[in-house]
């Protein structure tokens, strides 16, 4: 009987862990979608930018 109860506890813990993982993934997906929507809505402000992310400039200084 004791083993059965331990298995039930482990099973319940695994279910809770999986649910927390799913909720975290969905929250991240929602935040990502909101960021994309916000970036899409202010695309008019992207003058001089590449894909609306940052201004275009060299990554590294050139050697002389």
């Amino acid at each position: 009987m004791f083993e059965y109860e331990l298995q039930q506890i482990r099973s319940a813990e695994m279910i809770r862990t999986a649910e927390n993982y799913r909720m975290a993934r969905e929250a991240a997906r929602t935040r990502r979608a909101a960021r994309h929507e916000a970036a899409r809505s202010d695309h008019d402000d992207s003058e001089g930018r590449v894909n609306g992310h940052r201004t275009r400039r060299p990554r590294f200084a050139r050697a002389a």
Side-chain angles (χ1 to χ4, degrees), residues 5-17:
E5 291 173 0
L6 280 178
Q7 180 57 35
Q8 294 290 80
I9 292 169
R10 284 190 207 112
S11 177
E13 180 62 30
M14 286 174 46
I15 290 169
R16 276 193 299 274
T17 303

Side-chain angles (χ1 to χ4, degrees), residues 54-62:
R54 61 181 163 217
T55 57
R56 189 171 174 95
R57 60 179 176 228
R59 289 188 179 196
F60 304 105
R62 292 188 181 194

Side-chain angles (χ1 to χ4, degrees), residues 26-49:
E26 183 165 347
R29 187 179 304 124
T30 303
R31 285 192 305 266
R32 192 178 312 118
R35 280 196 315 263
H36 284 278
E37 183 63 32
R40 190 178 312 132
S41 69
D42 52 276
H43 70 281
D44 300 331
D45 192 24
S46 63
E47 184 99 12
R49 293 176 175 233

